Amino acid sequence: MSKPVLWIVIPCYNEEQVLPITAPMFLEKIHSLTAQGLVSDKSRVLFVNDGSRDKTWELIQGFAAQDEHYIGISQSRNRGHQNAVLAGLMEAKSRCDITISIDCDGQDDINAMDAMVDAYRDGCDVVYGVRSKRETDTFFKRFTAESFYKILNAMGAEVVFNHADYRLMSARVLEEFAKFREVNLFLRGMVPLVGFKSTCVTYE
């Protein structure tokens, strides 16, 4: 199997304080996956600026000028997290083999990407990043988050428990996903509807 081209898609909104910390981590992960022979050196870190009002876009431009593995796109105004993720995925779908979407704040374990890529190489087109436990959350946050998933499932929504928007999707999944014409986006409820072989990778 040839080495897949991976794009890590990261929505950004007013991340001036966070980006200098997390951006090097994402780049290091690309280099690590490349060194292991899991992905191609043509892999990229794609930042999607969602109409930030601080210096987020200037930082993204600076990263891109320093290293070709960083790239960025900027929306004309703030369109919300889900639209920013979708914009990044649609930008990437014809230019890579796989995408991994992840938030910029560093709360998700980027080391789970290794297992995600392994699962893709084993034949999975969708790999969900799932938190194994929420011990670091407050009781209120843990209770409301778990209740949220339970209510969605009770209403018939096909969602993966404790999964947000940290996931791997292959290019062929994205091609099918692009045919959806939803206006009110809820990606974690839409992705399972596309089909294709999927699995979960857990992390703390």
Side-chain angles (χ1 to χ4, degrees), residues 16-68:
E16 180 181 349
Q17 302 301 318
V18 175
L19 265 178
I21 300 170
T22 58
M25 295 167 55
F26 294 122
L27 180 61
E28 183 179 341
K29 176 50 62 177
I30 287 285
H31 289 323
S32 172
L33 291 169
T34 301
Q36 295 177 65
L38 296 177
V39 302
S40 166
D41 186 59
K42 295 180 180 179
S43 299
R44 297 291 184 263
V45 178
L46 169 63
F47 294 109
V48 182
N49 178 43
D50 187 25
S52 298
R53 297 180 179 180
D54 61 3
K55 295 182 179 179
T56 294
W57 181 236
E58 287 86 346
L59 286 171
I60 293 171
Q61 291 176 306
F63 293 140
Q66 294 169 15
D67 193 302
E68 65 178 359

